[in-house]
């Protein structure tokens, strides 16, 4: 039923102005479309909707993941832009190459936004 529909990530934040700086500038999503409920960013064929909510940062799982062609270059680019809150997880059979997790034939990295939302990168 939904296989041909585009999915949108929804990320709750505490302060919309701080989120605009992080998502628009730091992550390079550009200027998002203002919406009475938040800000909508285009990202490839998908979208990321950032909205203010009291529950911001309470999700213990990944809120959004970007598939990239070169994860190491993407990590370095994000570090250069100011992303410093990188996550390291211990998965069975996984190895680490700096911030990148090598597992199950793919590569992944996770970082947090200013509110503690977990965001990810993947290279298959």
């Amino acid at each position: 039923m939904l296989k041909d529909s585009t999915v949108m990530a929804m990320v709750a934040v505490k302060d919309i102005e701080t989120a605009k700086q992080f998502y628009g500038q730091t992550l390079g999503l550009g200027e998002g479309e203002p919406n009475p409920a938040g800000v909508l960013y285009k990202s490839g064929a998908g979208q990321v909707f950032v909205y203010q909510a009291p529950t911001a940062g309470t999700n213990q799982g990944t809120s959004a993941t970007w598939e990239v062609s070169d994860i190491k270059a993407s990590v370095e680019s994000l570090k250069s832009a100011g992303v410093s809150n990188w996550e390291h997880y211990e998965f069975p059979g996984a190895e680490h190459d700096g911030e990148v997790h090598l597992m199950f034939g793919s590569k992944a990295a996770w970082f947090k936004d200013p509110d503690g939302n977990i965001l990810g990168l993947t290279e298959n």
Side-chain angles (χ1 to χ4, degrees):
M1 179 164 115
L2 298 177
K3 72 176 187 155
D4 295 323
S5 299
T6 302
V7 67
M8 178 189 331
M10 306 277 292
V11 182
V13 299
K14 293 176 186 163
D15 179 69
I16 201 72
E17 293 305 317
T18 300
K20 284 179 177 178
Q21 174 66 33
F22 184 78
Y23 287 87
Q25 304 294 316
T26 304
L27 298 187
L29 296 181
E31 189 172 330
E33 295 177 33
N35 176 298
V39 182
L40 179 66
Y41 294 95
K42 304 274 189 214
S43 183
Q47 301 174 333
V48 178
F49 186 69
V50 178
Y51 64 99
Q52 196 162 318
T55 57
T58 61
N59 182 3
Q60 297 297 303
T62 306
S63 297
T65 300
W66 285 266
E67 187 172 343
V68 297
S69 60
D70 184 340
I71 197 165
K72 291 206 55 103
S74 296
V75 166
E76 291 308 314
S77 179
L78 288 171
K79 282 182 172 183
S80 294
V83 174
S84 61
N85 200 357
W86 294 90
E87 296 290 285
H88 288 91
Y89 301 114
E90 297 302 326
F91 297 113
E95 297 179 18
H96 297 96
D97 180 8
E99 312 303 348
V100 178
H101 297 64
L102 310 169
M103 57 192 179
F104 318 117
S106 66
K107 300 174 184 176
W110 291 271
F111 58 97
K112 289 186 176 179
D113 76 0
D115 292 305
N117 293 303
I118 301 168
L119 306 172
L121 304 173
T122 184
E123 175 188 326
N124 293 322

